[in-house]
Structures are given as C-alpha cells and as structure tokens.
Amino acid sequence: EEWSMESHHVADSISSVPEFSLLVQRGSLLILKEDMYTKYLHGISPLEEDLMDETIVNLNQCNVKPGEKYARSTRVSLTY
C-alpha cells in the first residue's frame, strides 16, 4: 500500500519492459492489492519531470493535460 501526499509521481510496472504506468496525483491514495500487489513489481523512475502521454493508463481520469510535462517535487510515501 502506498500514499502520495506532497507531489505527483508516475509508478511503472517493472519487467524487462514496463507493461503500464499509473499517474498518482498529489494528495492521492493508491492501494495495491491482489495481483497488482503480488504479481507486478513496481517502482518510480528517478526523473525530474514526467511527460503526460498515452503510456499512462489512467491519464483520462486525471486532471492533467496530455502532452505536457510536470515537474516533480518532494514526495512522501508510506508503504507497509
């Protein structure tokens, strides 16, 4: 389970090639469970900004503009 409070971030599934990316917006709550928690490795690439494009599977559900870049800032994550 992971909470994102201070900054947005893009979480990628990890395999030899990422299968998908999710935009986790500032102040949001992301709960990974079942297959998402047990079968997919995930991580956050060390980038200074993220491009909002079609690789982010939940982009149409977020309040962002496709094609724009968003700078990252400090992120607080609680995981257990």
Side-chain angles (χ1 to χ4, degrees):
E1 298 183 6
E2 183 172 320
W3 294 267
S4 173
M5 296 180 280
E6 294 296 320
S7 177
H8 82 278
H9 66 273
V10 173
D12 300 314
S13 67
I14 299 174
S15 61
S16 57
V17 175
E19 295 183 38
F20 57 88
S21 296
L22 292 172
L23 175 59
V24 183
Q25 293 185 285
R26 179 181 183 176
S28 61
L29 171 66
L30 174 64
I31 299 175
L32 304 178
K33 62 182 188 175
E34 298 175 359
D35 284 353
M36 186 67 175
Y37 183 75
T38 59
K39 293 185 179 181
Y40 293 94
L41 295 175
H42 60 281
I44 301 168
S45 300
L47 303 172
E48 293 184 9
E49 63 183 15
D50 295 292
L51 175 62
M52 301 297 117
D53 64 13
E54 69 281 348
T55 63
I56 301 172
V57 297
N58 64 329
L59 191 65
N60 64 345
Q61 300 168 359
C62 299
N63 188 24
V64 297
K65 295 179 182 175
E68 289 194 352
K69 291 183 180 181
Y70 287 84
R72 291 186 182 181
S73 61
T74 303
R75 184 179 63 86
V76 176
S77 177
L78 305 172
T79 305
Y80 72 94

